[in-house]
Amino acid sequence: MGGVDTPAVVITQRGAERILSGHLWIYRTDVAEASGVEPGVVVRLVDRRKRFWGQALYSDKSQIALRLLTREKRPFNRAFLAERIQAAAAFRAQVAKGAYAYRLVASEGDLLPSLIIDRYADCFVVQTLSQGMERLKPAVVEILQEQFQPRSILERNDVAVRALEGLPEQKGFLAGEAVQEVVAEENGVKFCFDLLGGQKTGGFLDQRENRAAARLYARGRALDCFTYTGGFALTLAPHCESVVGVDTSAEALALARRNQELNGFTNVEWKEANCFDYLKAADQEKRRFDVVVLDPPAFARQKSSLESALRGYKELNLRALKILNAGGVLVTCSCSFHVSEADLLEVIASAALDARRTVTVVERRTQSRDHPILLTVPETHYLKCLILRAL
Ligand code: SAH
């Protein structure tokens, strides 16, 4: 880790400007000199005139060559890392108070770029998504043990972005007991999280507050598209006559069914289907709903797919608006960073006109507060959640 012998990487003027602009990433093209620097180490950033700019994690593979850790000169050592994790936890004690499953460390949002730590009750799931964080993984595990005495620590490093760092995809237990499933309550509803086999680290924690927000509008017949393990569906269920949850994943629906049983709800049914097809058929069969939730996977993973993503969002929202009863509520989400809130509002406005519906914007929301948005790193604001009412 960082210390007196911390190696130096020389950055260009444009690299320094990235730091001045408040971003944490410096691209490889803005590295002037890094010869002999070991992959994944903490480095000092200096410009050609030897001026100090901060300390960063160095990658010899990724286009993101440097991830800024601090602008301070103080060595970025284990104590520094432990402080950052503790600060992140202290913030969660405020904004995720009473939650059992939440994001303890959110990468850039907690000034720990490429480190994600999700907490599910007394189990912790870690993702180390750069060479630098991979090197710090043993220290992270020790710090978690010291600060939280967890029952289990797992890694879910089975993610494709690791390839950009030359890191293998891997998952498994790092410390403690081999706990694969955890039952934790969210917004008063019990969910079983499959930490080793589920999507992401087991759950979509970024939607916790939006699921709670959606509950305010729950009534009558509800439809939860892209339900995964029943997140929105089961949060709405106690306040609705009936709920349908739709997903293409049979595995996810099997867990959704178990979650339903855990809570003893009898008014929910699950459909294994493509949501585009399901919505089309529902319209043709004249089925109508009072609440529709759309929480699709990211349609635009790259900027180049923005156009086709917008077409996808338009089609989904158009179909959803068509099957809403008068006064019905649409909870519509996009987790594509490349689709701005303005873009989403625009396609929905266009969908509303096509569907001949008058729509009001009831709430404009984003990811839960345990996924902080760093003001000067736009990439950290990825989730948009709009709550709309069709008159
Ligand atoms: N709403 C969920 C999270 C949804 S994640 C929650 O609150 O927890 C996105 C889900 O969409 C995944 O479960 C994935 O299996 C599903 N999915 C992806 N494409 C789909 C499609 N075309 N039709 C239905 N489900 C789809």
Side-chain angles (χ1 to χ4, degrees):
M1 274 188 236
V4 273
D5 53 354
T6 307
V9 166
V10 182
I11 55 173
T12 63
Q13 180 61 30
R14 213 172 54 181
E17 278 161 13
R18 287 281 288 175
I19 296 176
L20 284 174
S21 78
H23 212 291
L24 303 186
W25 302 345
I26 295 176
Y27 294 106
R28 183 153 311 281
T29 46
D30 295 326
V31 173
E33 174 62 55
S35 55
V37 178
E38 258 185 80
V41 295
V42 175
V43 296
R44 278 182 302 123
L45 302 180
V46 293
D47 61 21
R48 287 193 178 98
R49 281 177 287 168
K50 302 238 163 26
R51 184 170 161 201
F52 173 84
W53 284 90
Q55 297 176 72
L57 295 173
Y58 174 69
S59 168
D60 73 343
K61 287 268 184 332
S62 169
Q63 281 313 306
I64 304 171
L66 296 158
R67 291 177 161 86
L68 190 71
L69 293 164
T70 176
R71 294 196 223 186
E72 288 177 61
K73 283 195 168 144
R74 189 186 137 200
F76 191 89
N77 54 19
R78 194 177 179 288
F80 202 148
L81 178 61
E83 259 175 48
R84 283 269 163 90
I85 293 177
Q86 197 159 31
F91 180 60
R92 300 325 184 261
Q94 294 182 294
V95 298
K97 196 164 184 244
Y100 297 96
Y102 56 87
R103 181 150 292 183
L104 181 76
V105 170
S107 197
E108 285 78 14
D110 287 293
L111 297 180
L112 289 169
S114 65
L115 176 65
I116 288 170
I117 306 175
D118 285 344
R119 178 171 191 171
Y120 296 88
D122 49 4
C123 298
F124 292 67
V125 187
V126 175
Q127 292 182 313
T128 46
L129 305 177
S130 68
Q131 292 175 351
M133 275 302 167
E134 181 69 7
R135 261 178 101 115
L136 294 177
K137 191 166 70 183
V140 168
V141 169
E142 277 177 27
I143 291 165
L144 288 178
Q145 285 175 313
E146 281 166 17
Q147 293 187 7
F148 305 99
Q149 295 84 44
R151 186 149 74 99
S152 178
I153 305 177
L154 298 83
E155 70 177 315
R156 282 300 301 270
N157 277 325
D158 49 329
V159 277
V161 285
R162 296 242 311 176
L164 304 176
E165 298 278 340
L167 297 170
E169 289 192 24
Q170 59 196 48
K171 60 177 175 178
F173 296 98
L174 298 175
E177 291 171 39
V179 182
Q180 175 160 358
E181 286 188 354
V182 176
V183 174
E185 230 177 66
E186 184 195 86
N187 301 315
V189 180
K190 290 189 199 82
F191 287 94
C192 177
F193 296 97
D194 179 356
L195 306 184
L196 211 52
Q199 296 186 34
K200 297 251 192 157
T201 61
F204 291 84
L205 303 177
D206 50 2
Q207 291 281 29
R208 178 172 47 84
E209 293 176 7
N210 295 329
R211 288 187 283 259
R215 189 172 48 184
L216 188 67
Y217 310 95
R219 66 186 171 88
R221 290 162 47 80
L223 172 65
D224 179 15
C225 293
F226 310 92
T227 191
Y228 183 48
T229 59
F232 281 93
L234 297 171
T235 308
L236 300 178
H239 312 277
C240 293
E241 279 158 38
S242 65
V243 184
V244 182
V246 184
D247 205 284
T248 41
S249 163
E251 244 178 312
L253 291 180
L255 197 47
R257 217 164 267 123
R258 278 177 58 197
N259 288 335
Q260 177 191 352
E261 284 160 12
L262 267 175
N263 291 282
F265 297 156
T266 53
N267 59 341
V268 190
E269 56 176 316
W270 310 102
K271 287 272 187 294
E272 187 183 328
N274 181 318
C275 288
F276 287 88
D277 301 338
Y278 183 89
L279 288 165
K280 193 175 178 181
D283 184 36
Q284 283 165 353
E285 292 158 21
K286 304 232 174 321
R287 275 181 277 147
R288 294 293 176 262
F289 294 87
D290 300 297
V291 184
V292 175
V293 179
L294 300 175
D295 184 20
F299 288 160
R301 291 191 197 277
Q302 292 122 23
K303 203 164 183 185
S304 56
S305 43
L306 179 62
E307 286 303 312
S308 66
L310 292 178
R311 278 196 298 279
Y313 288 117
K314 175 161 179 192
E315 187 181 338
L316 263 185
N317 283 282
L318 172 62
R319 292 188 193 284
L321 286 169
K322 282 185 172 175
I323 60 165
L324 269 182
N325 281 326
V329 166
L330 172 62
V331 179
T332 184
C333 309
S334 161
C335 56
S336 306
F337 157 67
H338 297 288
V339 175
S340 69
E341 190 196 71
D343 291 336
L344 193 64
L345 281 165
E346 197 179 312
V347 291
I348 297 168
S350 154
L353 291 173
D354 288 3
R356 299 203 170 83
R357 297 299 297 258
T358 304
V359 171
T360 62
V361 181
V362 182
E363 291 190 45
R364 291 161 52 194
R365 309 182 54 83
T366 182
Q367 64 236 35
S368 299
R369 287 165 296 172
D370 48 344
H371 295 60
I373 297 168
L374 203 58
L375 189 57
T376 47
V377 179
E379 290 84 353
T380 57
H381 177 204
Y382 63 96
L383 184 65
K384 291 99 202 172
C385 170
L386 301 169
I387 304 186
L388 308 163
R389 186 162 164 263
L391 306 179

